[in-house]
């Protein structure tokens, strides 16, 4: 395991304890934060493994919005590079990982619409 810390912002299923245990082998601790400049919609999940893990047929997804978009609430987690790779594997192809600056000023990875 690496000592490097990555920050991951979740506004959806990665906040769920069951999803965290399945992907990271542990429950993540984090703090409330928000993402600016995006708007939330929903994507249908058809990947059987992701469906089995999350138990949800639709997951939230963010698309670029405007400066006036309502902040998207969520949690920011400190994770390892290995855990970030596990998160990449969990997310379906509708998502891409981008770096953003959260409302708190923390620079974090987040999954948004492709």
């Amino acid at each position: 395991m690496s000592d490097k810390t990555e920050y991951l912002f979740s506004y959806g299923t990665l906040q769920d304890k069951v999803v965290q245990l399945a992907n990271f082998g542990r429950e993540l601790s984090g703090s409330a934060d928000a993402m600016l400049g995006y708007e939330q919609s929903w994507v249908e999940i058809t990947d059987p493994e992701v469906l089995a893990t999350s138990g949800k047929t639709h997951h939230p997804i963010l698309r670029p919005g405007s400066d006036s978009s309502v902040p998207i609430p969520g949690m920011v987690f400190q994770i390892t590079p290995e855990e970030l790779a596990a998160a990449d594997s969990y997310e379906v192809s509708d998502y891409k990982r981008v770096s953003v600056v959260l409302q708190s000023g923390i620079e974090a990875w987040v999954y948004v619409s492709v």
Side-chain angles (χ1 to χ4, degrees):
M1 266 259 282
S2 171
D3 290 338
K4 183 170 172 16
T5 297
E6 300 282 356
Y7 290 92
L8 177 65
F9 180 74
S10 172
Y11 54 90
T13 61
L14 285 173
Q15 296 178 73
D16 294 347
K17 179 180 178 179
V18 171
V19 172
Q20 291 175 4
L21 291 173
N23 286 284
F24 311 122
R26 70 182 180 104
E27 189 174 354
L28 303 179
S29 59
S31 56
D33 212 325
M35 196 167 142
L36 307 172
Y38 281 78
E39 294 183 2
Q40 181 178 307
S41 59
W42 296 90
V43 64
E44 183 176 6
I45 302 299
T46 57
D47 182 290
E49 283 186 40
V50 175
L51 281 168
T53 303
S54 75
K56 295 178 172 73
T57 59
H58 289 77
H59 289 188
I61 193 165
L62 298 183
R63 292 183 168 77
S66 66
D67 290 341
S68 63
S69 296
V70 175
I72 305 295
M75 295 288 289
V76 62
F77 300 108
Q78 291 185 29
I79 61 172
T80 67
E82 293 83 2
E83 289 169 332
L84 186 59
D88 285 345
S89 295
Y90 169 72
E91 295 296 350
V92 296
S93 62
D94 299 278
Y95 294 88
K96 65 180 177 181
R97 178 166 45 98
V98 298
S99 178
V100 297
V101 176
L102 301 174
Q103 194 169 39
S104 66
I106 293 173
E107 187 173 343
W109 295 110
V110 66
Y111 296 95
V112 298
S113 178
V114 171

PDB file of all heavy atoms in Angstrom, residues 8-15 19 23-24 43 45 47 49-50 59-61 83-97 110-114:
ATOM      1  N   LEU A   8     -11.093  11.796  -2.789  1.00  0.00           N
ATOM      2  CA  LEU A   8     -12.170  11.367  -3.675  1.00  0.00           C
ATOM      3  C   LEU A   8     -13.480  11.958  -3.168  1.00  0.00           C
ATOM      4  O   LEU A   8     -13.848  11.764  -2.006  1.00  0.00           O
ATOM      5  CB  LEU A   8     -12.259   9.840  -3.706  1.00  0.00           C
ATOM      6  CG  LEU A   8     -13.396   9.248  -4.544  1.00  0.00           C
ATOM      7  CD1 LEU A   8     -13.199   9.571  -6.023  1.00  0.00           C
ATOM      8  CD2 LEU A   8     -13.482   7.743  -4.341  1.00  0.00           C
ATOM      9  N   PHE A   9     -14.178  12.676  -4.045  1.00  0.00           N
ATOM     10  CA  PHE A   9     -15.485  13.244  -3.699  1.00  0.00           C
ATOM     11  C   PHE A   9     -16.568  12.325  -4.229  1.00  0.00           C
ATOM     12  O   PHE A   9     -16.549  11.932  -5.393  1.00  0.00           O
ATOM     13  CB  PHE A   9     -15.641  14.638  -4.309  1.00  0.00           C
ATOM     14  CG  PHE A   9     -16.968  15.274  -3.987  1.00  0.00           C
ATOM     15  CD1 PHE A   9     -17.228  15.774  -2.729  1.00  0.00           C
ATOM     16  CD2 PHE A   9     -17.959  15.366  -4.957  1.00  0.00           C
ATOM     17  CE1 PHE A   9     -18.449  16.356  -2.423  1.00  0.00           C
ATOM     18  CE2 PHE A   9     -19.181  15.951  -4.670  1.00  0.00           C
ATOM     19  CZ  PHE A   9     -19.431  16.445  -3.396  1.00  0.00           C
ATOM     20  N   SER A  10     -17.499  11.975  -3.360  1.00  0.00           N
ATOM     21  CA  SER A  10     -18.632  11.142  -3.767  1.00  0.00           C
ATOM     22  C   SER A  10     -19.939  11.865  -3.489  1.00  0.00           C
ATOM     23  O   SER A  10     -20.160  12.383  -2.399  1.00  0.00           O
ATOM     24  CB  SER A  10     -18.634   9.813  -3.015  1.00  0.00           C
ATOM     25  OG  SER A  10     -19.833   9.107  -3.302  1.00  0.00           O
ATOM     26  N   TYR A  11     -20.808  11.850  -4.486  1.00  0.00           N
ATOM     27  CA  TYR A  11     -22.162  12.405  -4.351  1.00  0.00           C
ATOM     28  C   TYR A  11     -23.185  11.299  -4.540  1.00  0.00           C
ATOM     29  O   TYR A  11     -24.379  11.557  -4.624  1.00  0.00           O
ATOM     30  CB  TYR A  11     -22.394  13.523  -5.386  1.00  0.00           C
ATOM     31  CG  TYR A  11     -22.116  13.080  -6.810  1.00  0.00           C
ATOM     32  CD1 TYR A  11     -23.123  12.540  -7.594  1.00  0.00           C
ATOM     33  CD2 TYR A  11     -20.836  13.166  -7.349  1.00  0.00           C
ATOM     34  CE1 TYR A  11     -22.878  12.105  -8.890  1.00  0.00           C
ATOM     35  CE2 TYR A  11     -20.572  12.740  -8.639  1.00  0.00           C
ATOM     36  CZ  TYR A  11     -21.590  12.211  -9.405  1.00  0.00           C
ATOM     37  OH  TYR A  11     -21.336  11.777 -10.675  1.00  0.00           O
ATOM     38  N   GLY A  12     -22.712  10.042  -4.602  1.00  0.00           N
ATOM     39  CA  GLY A  12     -23.614   8.925  -4.895  1.00  0.00           C
ATOM     40  C   GLY A  12     -23.268   7.682  -4.095  1.00  0.00           C
ATOM     41  O   GLY A  12     -22.996   7.742  -2.897  1.00  0.00           O
ATOM     42  N   THR A  13     -23.235   6.542  -4.793  1.00  0.00           N
ATOM     43  CA  THR A  13     -23.168   5.242  -4.127  1.00  0.00           C
ATOM     44  C   THR A  13     -21.856   4.965  -3.414  1.00  0.00           C
ATOM     45  O   THR A  13     -21.820   4.108  -2.531  1.00  0.00           O
ATOM     46  CB  THR A  13     -23.458   4.099  -5.120  1.00  0.00           C
ATOM     47  OG1 THR A  13     -22.480   4.126  -6.161  1.00  0.00           O
ATOM     48  CG2 THR A  13     -24.866   4.229  -5.708  1.00  0.00           C
ATOM     49  N   LEU A  14     -20.782   5.662  -3.752  1.00  0.00           N
ATOM     50  CA  LEU A  14     -19.523   5.438  -3.027  1.00  0.00           C
ATOM     51  C   LEU A  14     -19.598   5.926  -1.579  1.00  0.00           C
ATOM     52  O   LEU A  14     -18.694   5.687  -0.800  1.00  0.00           O
ATOM     53  CB  LEU A  14     -18.344   6.087  -3.756  1.00  0.00           C
ATOM     54  CG  LEU A  14     -17.863   5.348  -5.006  1.00  0.00           C
ATOM     55  CD1 LEU A  14     -16.807   6.157  -5.741  1.00  0.00           C
ATOM     56  CD2 LEU A  14     -17.322   3.962  -4.668  1.00  0.00           C
ATOM     57  N   GLN A  15     -20.699   6.572  -1.212  1.00  0.00           N
ATOM     58  CA  GLN A  15     -20.922   6.949   0.185  1.00  0.00           C
ATOM     59  C   GLN A  15     -21.534   5.790   0.980  1.00  0.00           C
ATOM     60  O   GLN A  15     -21.555   5.829   2.207  1.00  0.00           O
ATOM     61  CB  GLN A  15     -21.859   8.160   0.277  1.00  0.00           C
ATOM     62  CG  GLN A  15     -21.275   9.422  -0.335  1.00  0.00           C
ATOM     63  CD  GLN A  15     -22.252  10.569  -0.256  1.00  0.00           C
ATOM     64  OE1 GLN A  15     -22.488  11.137   0.817  1.00  0.00           O
ATOM     65  NE2 GLN A  15     -22.848  10.912  -1.385  1.00  0.00           N
ATOM     66  N   VAL A  19     -21.089  -0.548  -0.460  1.00  0.00           N
ATOM     67  CA  VAL A  19     -20.285  -0.303  -1.668  1.00  0.00           C
ATOM     68  C   VAL A  19     -18.822  -0.108  -1.286  1.00  0.00           C
ATOM     69  O   VAL A  19     -17.916  -0.629  -1.941  1.00  0.00           O
ATOM     70  CB  VAL A  19     -20.841   0.909  -2.450  1.00  0.00           C
ATOM     71  CG1 VAL A  19     -19.918   1.295  -3.599  1.00  0.00           C
ATOM     72  CG2 VAL A  19     -22.240   0.607  -2.970  1.00  0.00           C
ATOM     73  N   ASN A  23     -15.669  -2.544  -2.452  1.00  0.00           N
ATOM     74  CA  ASN A  23     -14.628  -2.010  -3.333  1.00  0.00           C
ATOM     75  C   ASN A  23     -13.292  -1.751  -2.645  1.00  0.00           C
ATOM     76  O   ASN A  23     -12.242  -1.873  -3.274  1.00  0.00           O
ATOM     77  CB  ASN A  23     -15.111  -0.714  -3.989  1.00  0.00           C
ATOM     78  CG  ASN A  23     -16.133  -0.989  -5.062  1.00  0.00           C
ATOM     79  OD1 ASN A  23     -15.792  -1.419  -6.146  1.00  0.00           O
ATOM     80  ND2 ASN A  23     -17.396  -0.769  -4.755  1.00  0.00           N
ATOM     81  N   PHE A  24     -13.333  -1.372  -1.373  1.00  0.00           N
ATOM     82  CA  PHE A  24     -12.108  -0.984  -0.675  1.00  0.00           C
ATOM     83  C   PHE A  24     -11.748  -1.903   0.488  1.00  0.00           C
ATOM     84  O   PHE A  24     -10.672  -1.788   1.061  1.00  0.00           O
ATOM     85  CB  PHE A  24     -12.236   0.454  -0.149  1.00  0.00           C
ATOM     86  CG  PHE A  24     -12.713   1.432  -1.183  1.00  0.00           C
ATOM     87  CD1 PHE A  24     -13.858   2.180  -0.984  1.00  0.00           C
ATOM     88  CD2 PHE A  24     -12.021   1.617  -2.370  1.00  0.00           C
ATOM     89  CE1 PHE A  24     -14.311   3.093  -1.940  1.00  0.00           C
ATOM     90  CE2 PHE A  24     -12.450   2.516  -3.336  1.00  0.00           C
ATOM     91  CZ  PHE A  24     -13.603   3.254  -3.121  1.00  0.00           C
ATOM     92  N   VAL A  43     -28.299   8.146 -14.325  1.00  0.00           N
ATOM     93  CA  VAL A  43     -27.895   7.227 -15.381  1.00  0.00           C
ATOM     94  C   VAL A  43     -28.366   5.824 -15.001  1.00  0.00           C
ATOM     95  O   VAL A  43     -28.287   5.433 -13.829  1.00  0.00           O
ATOM     96  CB  VAL A  43     -26.364   7.271 -15.622  1.00  0.00           C
ATOM     97  CG1 VAL A  43     -25.579   6.808 -14.403  1.00  0.00           C
ATOM     98  CG2 VAL A  43     -25.974   6.459 -16.840  1.00  0.00           C
ATOM     99  N   ILE A  45     -28.032   1.964 -14.678  1.00  0.00           N
ATOM    100  CA  ILE A  45     -26.915   1.031 -14.510  1.00  0.00           C
ATOM    101  C   ILE A  45     -27.337  -0.334 -15.024  1.00  0.00           C
ATOM    102  O   ILE A  45     -28.371  -0.871 -14.605  1.00  0.00           O
ATOM    103  CB  ILE A  45     -26.488   0.949 -13.024  1.00  0.00           C
ATOM    104  CG1 ILE A  45     -26.086   2.339 -12.501  1.00  0.00           C
ATOM    105  CG2 ILE A  45     -25.369  -0.065 -12.827  1.00  0.00           C
ATOM    106  CD1 ILE A  45     -24.923   2.990 -13.211  1.00  0.00           C
ATOM    107  N   ASP A  47     -24.592  -2.781 -15.635  1.00  0.00           N
ATOM    108  CA  ASP A  47     -23.494  -3.680 -15.278  1.00  0.00           C
ATOM    109  C   ASP A  47     -23.931  -4.551 -14.098  1.00  0.00           C
ATOM    110  O   ASP A  47     -24.246  -4.037 -13.021  1.00  0.00           O
ATOM    111  CB  ASP A  47     -22.253  -2.861 -14.907  1.00  0.00           C
ATOM    112  CG  ASP A  47     -21.054  -3.723 -14.570  1.00  0.00           C
ATOM    113  OD1 ASP A  47     -21.080  -4.386 -13.503  1.00  0.00           O
ATOM    114  OD2 ASP A  47     -20.096  -3.735 -15.356  1.00  0.00           O
ATOM    115  N   GLU A  49     -22.372  -6.507 -11.952  1.00  0.00           N
ATOM    116  CA  GLU A  49     -21.586  -6.408 -10.711  1.00  0.00           C
ATOM    117  C   GLU A  49     -21.913  -5.125  -9.959  1.00  0.00           C
ATOM    118  O   GLU A  49     -22.058  -5.143  -8.738  1.00  0.00           O
ATOM    119  CB  GLU A  49     -20.085  -6.462 -11.024  1.00  0.00           C
ATOM    120  CG  GLU A  49     -19.588  -7.862 -11.331  1.00  0.00           C
ATOM    121  CD  GLU A  49     -18.076  -7.898 -11.480  1.00  0.00           C
ATOM    122  OE1 GLU A  49     -17.382  -7.210 -10.706  1.00  0.00           O
ATOM    123  OE2 GLU A  49     -17.604  -8.617 -12.376  1.00  0.00           O
ATOM    124  N   VAL A  50     -22.021  -4.017 -10.683  1.00  0.00           N
ATOM    125  CA  VAL A  50     -22.335  -2.739 -10.036  1.00  0.00           C
ATOM    126  C   VAL A  50     -23.759  -2.775  -9.480  1.00  0.00           C
ATOM    127  O   VAL A  50     -24.007  -2.321  -8.360  1.00  0.00           O
ATOM    128  CB  VAL A  50     -22.133  -1.559 -11.019  1.00  0.00           C
ATOM    129  CG1 VAL A  50     -22.572  -0.243 -10.393  1.00  0.00           C
ATOM    130  CG2 VAL A  50     -20.681  -1.478 -11.473  1.00  0.00           C
ATOM    131  N   HIS A  59     -28.012   5.513 -10.889  1.00  0.00           N
ATOM    132  CA  HIS A  59     -27.060   6.227 -10.037  1.00  0.00           C
ATOM    133  C   HIS A  59     -27.047   7.699 -10.459  1.00  0.00           C
ATOM    134  O   HIS A  59     -27.253   8.013 -11.636  1.00  0.00           O
ATOM    135  CB  HIS A  59     -25.646   5.668 -10.222  1.00  0.00           C
ATOM    136  CG  HIS A  59     -25.454   4.306  -9.649  1.00  0.00           C
ATOM    137  ND1 HIS A  59     -24.207   3.722  -9.575  1.00  0.00           N
ATOM    138  CD2 HIS A  59     -26.298   3.411  -9.115  1.00  0.00           C
ATOM    139  CE1 HIS A  59     -24.311   2.520  -9.033  1.00  0.00           C
ATOM    140  NE2 HIS A  59     -25.578   2.310  -8.744  1.00  0.00           N
ATOM    141  N   PRO A  60     -26.770   8.597  -9.500  1.00  0.00           N
ATOM    142  CA  PRO A  60     -26.646  10.002  -9.882  1.00  0.00           C
ATOM    143  C   PRO A  60     -25.408  10.204 -10.753  1.00  0.00           C
ATOM    144  O   PRO A  60     -24.429   9.463 -10.624  1.00  0.00           O
ATOM    145  CB  PRO A  60     -26.511  10.731  -8.546  1.00  0.00           C
ATOM    146  CG  PRO A  60     -26.045   9.706  -7.586  1.00  0.00           C
ATOM    147  CD  PRO A  60     -26.559   8.389  -8.076  1.00  0.00           C
ATOM    148  N   ILE A  61     -25.451  11.175 -11.634  1.00  0.00           N
ATOM    149  CA  ILE A  61     -24.310  11.523 -12.476  1.00  0.00           C
ATOM    150  C   ILE A  61     -24.304  13.037 -12.642  1.00  0.00           C
ATOM    151  O   ILE A  61     -25.366  13.664 -12.675  1.00  0.00           O
ATOM    152  CB  ILE A  61     -24.362  10.790 -13.835  1.00  0.00           C
ATOM    153  CG1 ILE A  61     -23.025  10.905 -14.560  1.00  0.00           C
ATOM    154  CG2 ILE A  61     -25.527  11.263 -14.682  1.00  0.00           C
ATOM    155  CD1 ILE A  61     -22.875   9.907 -15.714  1.00  0.00           C
ATOM    156  N   GLU A  83      -6.845   2.298  -3.756  1.00  0.00           N
ATOM    157  CA  GLU A  83      -8.300   2.428  -3.592  1.00  0.00           C
ATOM    158  C   GLU A  83      -8.907   3.270  -4.712  1.00  0.00           C
ATOM    159  O   GLU A  83     -10.022   2.999  -5.160  1.00  0.00           O
ATOM    160  CB  GLU A  83      -8.622   3.022  -2.212  1.00  0.00           C
ATOM    161  CG  GLU A  83      -8.345   2.035  -1.096  1.00  0.00           C
ATOM    162  CD  GLU A  83      -8.390   2.634   0.289  1.00  0.00           C
ATOM    163  OE1 GLU A  83      -8.122   3.848   0.450  1.00  0.00           O
ATOM    164  OE2 GLU A  83      -8.692   1.888   1.237  1.00  0.00           O
ATOM    165  N   LEU A  84      -8.153   4.259  -5.195  1.00  0.00           N
ATOM    166  CA  LEU A  84      -8.628   5.051  -6.331  1.00  0.00           C
ATOM    167  C   LEU A  84      -8.761   4.163  -7.570  1.00  0.00           C
ATOM    168  O   LEU A  84      -9.742   4.256  -8.312  1.00  0.00           O
ATOM    169  CB  LEU A  84      -7.681   6.224  -6.596  1.00  0.00           C
ATOM    170  CG  LEU A  84      -8.125   7.226  -7.659  1.00  0.00           C
ATOM    171  CD1 LEU A  84      -9.472   7.855  -7.314  1.00  0.00           C
ATOM    172  CD2 LEU A  84      -7.062   8.301  -7.845  1.00  0.00           C
ATOM    173  N   ALA A  85      -7.803   3.261  -7.763  1.00  0.00           N
ATOM    174  CA  ALA A  85      -7.881   2.310  -8.878  1.00  0.00           C
ATOM    175  C   ALA A  85      -9.096   1.398  -8.720  1.00  0.00           C
ATOM    176  O   ALA A  85      -9.777   1.071  -9.699  1.00  0.00           O
ATOM    177  CB  ALA A  85      -6.601   1.489  -8.972  1.00  0.00           C
ATOM    178  N   ALA A  86      -9.408   0.993  -7.480  1.00  0.00           N
ATOM    179  CA  ALA A  86     -10.590   0.165  -7.227  1.00  0.00           C
ATOM    180  C   ALA A  86     -11.864   0.945  -7.550  1.00  0.00           C
ATOM    181  O   ALA A  86     -12.820   0.396  -8.105  1.00  0.00           O
ATOM    182  CB  ALA A  86     -10.609  -0.308  -5.772  1.00  0.00           C
ATOM    183  N   ALA A  87     -11.889   2.235  -7.228  1.00  0.00           N
ATOM    184  CA  ALA A  87     -13.049   3.080  -7.559  1.00  0.00           C
ATOM    185  C   ALA A  87     -13.202   3.189  -9.075  1.00  0.00           C
ATOM    186  O   ALA A  87     -14.312   3.135  -9.597  1.00  0.00           O
ATOM    187  CB  ALA A  87     -12.907   4.459  -6.923  1.00  0.00           C
ATOM    188  N   ASP A  88     -12.066   3.313  -9.788  1.00  0.00           N
ATOM    189  CA  ASP A  88     -12.109   3.356 -11.250  1.00  0.00           C
ATOM    190  C   ASP A  88     -12.765   2.093 -11.806  1.00  0.00           C
ATOM    191  O   ASP A  88     -13.550   2.152 -12.748  1.00  0.00           O
ATOM    192  CB  ASP A  88     -10.697   3.474 -11.841  1.00  0.00           C
ATOM    193  CG  ASP A  88     -10.092   4.863 -11.694  1.00  0.00           C
ATOM    194  OD1 ASP A  88     -10.826   5.830 -11.389  1.00  0.00           O
ATOM    195  OD2 ASP A  88      -8.868   4.977 -11.896  1.00  0.00           O
ATOM    196  N   SER A  89     -12.438   0.949 -11.224  1.00  0.00           N
ATOM    197  CA  SER A  89     -12.993  -0.326 -11.687  1.00  0.00           C
ATOM    198  C   SER A  89     -14.488  -0.431 -11.412  1.00  0.00           C
ATOM    199  O   SER A  89     -15.218  -1.057 -12.177  1.00  0.00           O
ATOM    200  CB  SER A  89     -12.273  -1.496 -11.006  1.00  0.00           C
ATOM    201  OG  SER A  89     -10.931  -1.525 -11.400  1.00  0.00           O
ATOM    202  N   TYR A  90     -14.941   0.168 -10.321  1.00  0.00           N
ATOM    203  CA  TYR A  90     -16.357   0.120  -9.937  1.00  0.00           C
ATOM    204  C   TYR A  90     -17.216   0.968 -10.864  1.00  0.00           C
ATOM    205  O   TYR A  90     -18.324   0.571 -11.233  1.00  0.00           O
ATOM    206  CB  TYR A  90     -16.505   0.605  -8.486  1.00  0.00           C
ATOM    207  CG  TYR A  90     -17.938   0.859  -8.047  1.00  0.00           C
ATOM    208  CD1 TYR A  90     -18.808  -0.201  -7.823  1.00  0.00           C
ATOM    209  CD2 TYR A  90     -18.403   2.152  -7.852  1.00  0.00           C
ATOM    210  CE1 TYR A  90     -20.118   0.031  -7.422  1.00  0.00           C
ATOM    211  CE2 TYR A  90     -19.699   2.395  -7.446  1.00  0.00           C
ATOM    212  CZ  TYR A  90     -20.564   1.325  -7.230  1.00  0.00           C
ATOM    213  OH  TYR A  90     -21.852   1.570  -6.834  1.00  0.00           O
ATOM    214  N   GLU A  91     -16.720   2.127 -11.258  1.00  0.00           N
ATOM    215  CA  GLU A  91     -17.527   3.056 -12.047  1.00  0.00           C
ATOM    216  C   GLU A  91     -17.731   2.527 -13.466  1.00  0.00           C
ATOM    217  O   GLU A  91     -16.807   2.032 -14.089  1.00  0.00           O
ATOM    218  CB  GLU A  91     -16.879   4.440 -12.095  1.00  0.00           C
ATOM    219  CG  GLU A  91     -16.810   5.126 -10.743  1.00  0.00           C
ATOM    220  CD  GLU A  91     -18.158   5.457 -10.130  1.00  0.00           C
ATOM    221  OE1 GLU A  91     -19.202   5.340 -10.808  1.00  0.00           O
ATOM    222  OE2 GLU A  91     -18.170   5.843  -8.954  1.00  0.00           O
ATOM    223  N   VAL A  92     -18.958   2.642 -13.971  1.00  0.00           N
ATOM    224  CA  VAL A  92     -19.276   2.173 -15.321  1.00  0.00           C
ATOM    225  C   VAL A  92     -18.784   3.181 -16.355  1.00  0.00           C
ATOM    226  O   VAL A  92     -18.381   4.297 -16.016  1.00  0.00           O
ATOM    227  CB  VAL A  92     -20.793   1.892 -15.471  1.00  0.00           C
ATOM    228  CG1 VAL A  92     -21.221   0.755 -14.549  1.00  0.00           C
ATOM    229  CG2 VAL A  92     -21.618   3.145 -15.220  1.00  0.00           C
ATOM    230  N   SER A  93     -18.842   2.799 -17.627  1.00  0.00           N
ATOM    231  CA  SER A  93     -18.255   3.602 -18.702  1.00  0.00           C
ATOM    232  C   SER A  93     -18.960   4.937 -18.935  1.00  0.00           C
ATOM    233  O   SER A  93     -18.449   5.775 -19.680  1.00  0.00           O
ATOM    234  CB  SER A  93     -18.223   2.797 -19.996  1.00  0.00           C
ATOM    235  OG  SER A  93     -19.530   2.460 -20.390  1.00  0.00           O
ATOM    236  N   ASP A  94     -20.107   5.161 -18.296  1.00  0.00           N
ATOM    237  CA  ASP A  94     -20.796   6.451 -18.421  1.00  0.00           C
ATOM    238  C   ASP A  94     -20.055   7.561 -17.668  1.00  0.00           C
ATOM    239  O   ASP A  94     -20.346   8.730 -17.853  1.00  0.00           O
ATOM    240  CB  ASP A  94     -22.219   6.358 -17.849  1.00  0.00           C
ATOM    241  CG  ASP A  94     -23.062   5.345 -18.594  1.00  0.00           C
ATOM    242  OD1 ASP A  94     -23.591   5.701 -19.653  1.00  0.00           O
ATOM    243  OD2 ASP A  94     -23.167   4.196 -18.115  1.00  0.00           O
ATOM    244  N   TYR A  95     -19.119   7.162 -16.792  1.00  0.00           N
ATOM    245  CA  TYR A  95     -18.404   8.107 -15.939  1.00  0.00           C
ATOM    246  C   TYR A  95     -16.952   8.235 -16.354  1.00  0.00           C
ATOM    247  O   TYR A  95     -16.346   7.277 -16.834  1.00  0.00           O
ATOM    248  CB  TYR A  95     -18.408   7.624 -14.477  1.00  0.00           C
ATOM    249  CG  TYR A  95     -19.750   7.597 -13.812  1.00  0.00           C
ATOM    250  CD1 TYR A  95     -20.573   6.478 -13.901  1.00  0.00           C
ATOM    251  CD2 TYR A  95     -20.197   8.677 -13.063  1.00  0.00           C
ATOM    252  CE1 TYR A  95     -21.812   6.443 -13.270  1.00  0.00           C
ATOM    253  CE2 TYR A  95     -21.436   8.645 -12.422  1.00  0.00           C
ATOM    254  CZ  TYR A  95     -22.231   7.524 -12.529  1.00  0.00           C
ATOM    255  OH  TYR A  95     -23.443   7.497 -11.896  1.00  0.00           O
ATOM    256  N   LYS A  96     -16.397   9.419 -16.133  1.00  0.00           N
ATOM    257  CA  LYS A  96     -14.952   9.626 -16.246  1.00  0.00           C
ATOM    258  C   LYS A  96     -14.500  10.320 -14.966  1.00  0.00           C
ATOM    259  O   LYS A  96     -15.283  11.014 -14.312  1.00  0.00           O
ATOM    260  CB  LYS A  96     -14.602  10.473 -17.469  1.00  0.00           C
ATOM    261  CG  LYS A  96     -15.122  11.908 -17.401  1.00  0.00           C
ATOM    262  CD  LYS A  96     -14.750  12.706 -18.633  1.00  0.00           C
ATOM    263  CE  LYS A  96     -15.358  14.110 -18.566  1.00  0.00           C
ATOM    264  NZ  LYS A  96     -15.042  14.910 -19.737  1.00  0.00           N
ATOM    265  N   ARG A  97     -13.229  10.112 -14.597  1.00  0.00           N
ATOM    266  CA  ARG A  97     -12.690  10.725 -13.381  1.00  0.00           C
ATOM    267  C   ARG A  97     -11.991  12.028 -13.750  1.00  0.00           C
ATOM    268  O   ARG A  97     -11.167  12.057 -14.644  1.00  0.00           O
ATOM    269  CB  ARG A  97     -11.718   9.768 -12.696  1.00  0.00           C
ATOM    270  CG  ARG A  97     -11.081  10.364 -11.464  1.00  0.00           C
ATOM    271  CD  ARG A  97     -10.394   9.344 -10.586  1.00  0.00           C
ATOM    272  NE  ARG A  97      -9.560   8.369 -11.212  1.00  0.00           N
ATOM    273  CZ  ARG A  97      -8.217   8.460 -11.306  1.00  0.00           C
ATOM    274  NH1 ARG A  97      -7.585   9.514 -10.853  1.00  0.00           N
ATOM    275  NH2 ARG A  97      -7.527   7.480 -11.854  1.00  0.00           N
ATOM    276  N   VAL A 110     -13.319  13.194  -8.833  1.00  0.00           N
ATOM    277  CA  VAL A 110     -14.763  12.947  -8.825  1.00  0.00           C
ATOM    278  C   VAL A 110     -15.124  12.312 -10.165  1.00  0.00           C
ATOM    279  O   VAL A 110     -14.440  12.532 -11.172  1.00  0.00           O
ATOM    280  CB  VAL A 110     -15.557  14.255  -8.583  1.00  0.00           C
ATOM    281  CG1 VAL A 110     -15.393  15.234  -9.733  1.00  0.00           C
ATOM    282  CG2 VAL A 110     -17.035  13.966  -8.337  1.00  0.00           C
ATOM    283  N   TYR A 111     -16.167  11.500 -10.149  1.00  0.00           N
ATOM    284  CA  TYR A 111     -16.645  10.854 -11.379  1.00  0.00           C
ATOM    285  C   TYR A 111     -17.827  11.642 -11.903  1.00  0.00           C
ATOM    286  O   TYR A 111     -18.805  11.853 -11.194  1.00  0.00           O
ATOM    287  CB  TYR A 111     -17.029   9.404 -11.103  1.00  0.00           C
ATOM    288  CG  TYR A 111     -15.821   8.593 -10.685  1.00  0.00           C
ATOM    289  CD1 TYR A 111     -15.516   8.396  -9.343  1.00  0.00           C
ATOM    290  CD2 TYR A 111     -14.963   8.052 -11.643  1.00  0.00           C
ATOM    291  CE1 TYR A 111     -14.398   7.682  -8.959  1.00  0.00           C
ATOM    292  CE2 TYR A 111     -13.834   7.335 -11.269  1.00  0.00           C
ATOM    293  CZ  TYR A 111     -13.563   7.153  -9.926  1.00  0.00           C
ATOM    294  OH  TYR A 111     -12.435   6.446  -9.562  1.00  0.00           O
ATOM    295  N   VAL A 112     -17.707  12.067 -13.175  1.00  0.00           N
ATOM    296  CA  VAL A 112     -18.755  12.859 -13.830  1.00  0.00           C
ATOM    297  C   VAL A 112     -19.098  12.218 -15.160  1.00  0.00           C
ATOM    298  O   VAL A 112     -18.439  11.266 -15.604  1.00  0.00           O
ATOM    299  CB  VAL A 112     -18.301  14.326 -14.033  1.00  0.00           C
ATOM    300  CG1 VAL A 112     -18.019  15.010 -12.691  1.00  0.00           C
ATOM    301  CG2 VAL A 112     -17.094  14.412 -14.956  1.00  0.00           C
ATOM    302  N   SER A 113     -20.082  12.759 -15.844  1.00  0.00           N
ATOM    303  CA  SER A 113     -20.516  12.243 -17.126  1.00  0.00           C
ATOM    304  C   SER A 113     -19.402  12.339 -18.167  1.00  0.00           C
ATOM    305  O   SER A 113     -18.672  13.320 -18.214  1.00  0.00           O
ATOM    306  CB  SER A 113     -21.724  13.031 -17.607  1.00  0.00           C
ATOM    307  OG  SER A 113     -22.136  12.579 -18.877  1.00  0.00           O
ATOM    308  N   VAL A 114     -19.305  11.294 -19.014  1.00  0.00           N
ATOM    309  CA  VAL A 114     -18.312  11.279 -20.093  1.00  0.00           C
ATOM    310  C   VAL A 114     -18.633  12.355 -21.099  1.00  0.00           C
ATOM    311  O   VAL A 114     -19.760  12.609 -21.412  1.00  0.00           O
ATOM    312  CB  VAL A 114     -18.303   9.881 -20.761  1.00  0.00           C
ATOM    313  CG1 VAL A 114     -17.451   9.891 -22.017  1.00  0.00           C
ATOM    314  CG2 VAL A 114     -17.856   8.841 -19.785  1.00  0.00           C
TER     315      VAL A 114
END
